[in-house]
Amino acid sequence: MSLKNHPGHPQHRRPMFQTNQSTCALFVGTWVRDDSYPLYPYSNCPIIDAEFNCQLYGRPDSDYLKYRWQPLNCVLPRFDGLVFLSKMRGKNVMFVGDSLGRNQWESLICMISASTPKMQTQIIRGDPLSTFRFLEYGLSISFYRAPYLVDIDVVQGTRILKLEGIDENGNAWRMADVLVFNTGHWWTHKGSLQGWDLIESGGKYYKDMDRLVAMEKGLRTWSNWVDTYVDRTRTRVFFQSISPTHYDPSEWGTGAAATVTKNCYGETAPMTGTTYPGTYPDQMRVVDEVIREMHVPTYLLDITMLSELRKDGHPSIYSGDLSPTQRANPDRTADCSHWCLPGLPDTWNQLFYTVLFY
């Protein structure tokens, strides 16, 4: 069995999973009900943050846990934590990006821990770097928080987003054997959610600029860093595609249904079919273009479309970060951008596992 990239136009470039001479497009398929899921119970995982721990914080339904991703013409290998540990012995896997990367980091630790419940582990939580170690195997799985990938400098209380600066962050990534990057959501944040006060680009400072242009500049700085510093004989590089949000029911509902709900609150089932009727994020066109021009092979974990179908997978109001008052007002407070654990990020990691080892 081998993996290869299908050449051609970027919109059609799908990583292929070959079995019995037939090619398998990993990221094109449907969600099928499977009662052997989830892969672990939330109560057995030591690391799930309150904002992702939907069952603990009162989510009443559980059908959303019972879906398996089924590519169109093959079956994904089932995740085996012991296989992951033995193949990655002595290695350092690092997720780099925003809280969606942290979502995936925690999911992978839960999935491996389910296979080895009595193994000695150690966790060191920090900002920007948190590391979970499976001591017997010498495996470290880390999360490095860098929502824009590029650096942010604070000068006299002013946060400066440096579109051409990445060395401060990049120094922490050099020792990893596997790097999984993501960025996206923070480039669009405005107002109180915005993570910077000024943008620095080309030696000039800006109060704002076209956000897609800024993201492309930042991604090109990142891709240059990867091409310059990553040793392709030692380190494998992945980029997690844009994780979708579900704040606009008109994207998936029609008529009365679309006007009753204001977001993902109350959604309990995935969409049917293989394609999402909403819009493909503009950010993905930028990601496609930048990755296509890189010299170091960078594998696109193209989870956008399969995640678009999972309007039921978000914490909504069942997040430990919300007060009772906030929960009483789902129209304003529902979290429709992160994902419950157990849940969708487990599928991202099943795909990551498949690409890594098959």
Side-chain angles (χ1 to χ4, degrees), residues 14 21 41 54 97 103 135 138 140 163 195 228 270 283:
R14 299 286 180 194
Q21 307 304 310
C54 307
N103 225 172
L135 298 176
S140 294
L163 296 186
T228 304
Q283 292 180 333

Side-chain angles (χ1 to χ4, degrees), residues 11 98 100 147-148 182-189 210-216 219 239-245 279-291 300 302 304 308:
Q11 301 313 88
D98 59 23
L100 278 312
Y148 302 96
N182 90 292
T183 188
H185 288 200
W186 281 71
W187 293 96
T188 61
H189 287 346
D210 181 295
R211 299 305 183 83
L212 211 53
V213 170
M215 179 177 166
E216 182 171 357
L219 275 177
F239 192 95
Q240 173 85 294
S241 71
I242 307 298
S243 174
T245 61
T279 52
Y280 194 64
D282 286 339
Q283 292 180 333
M284 272 315 299
R285 283 189 275 280
V286 173
V287 169
D288 277 336
E289 190 177 309
V290 171
I291 288 181
L300 183 65
D302 195 3
T304 303
E308 291 272 28

Side-chain angles (χ1 to χ4, degrees), residues 189-202:
H189 287 346
K190 296 189 175 176
S192 62
L193 292 175
Q194 185 174 297
W196 47 267
D197 302 304
L198 290 174
I199 295 175
E200 182 185 345
S201 179

Side-chain angles (χ1 to χ4, degrees), residues 24-34 37 67-76 273-274 306 309 347 350-351:
C24 170
L26 287 178
F27 304 106
V28 181
T30 54
W31 289 97
V32 297
R33 180 149 178 126
D34 185 333
Y37 278 60
Y67 286 93
R68 172 173 55 80
W69 177 245
Q70 175 64 64
L72 285 184
N73 53 358
C74 64
V75 177
L76 290 177
T274 58
L306 66 91
L309 299 171
T347 294
Q350 201 176 353
L351 290 158

Side-chain angles (χ1 to χ4, degrees), residues 32 34 40 55 84 113 116 128 153 165 178 198 207 239 256 306 357:
V32 297
D34 185 333
Y40 56 89
Q55 294 286 306
F84 195 100
S113 299
T116 56
D153 273 2
V178 179
L198 290 174
K207 286 197 166 171
F239 192 95
L306 66 91
F357 301 136

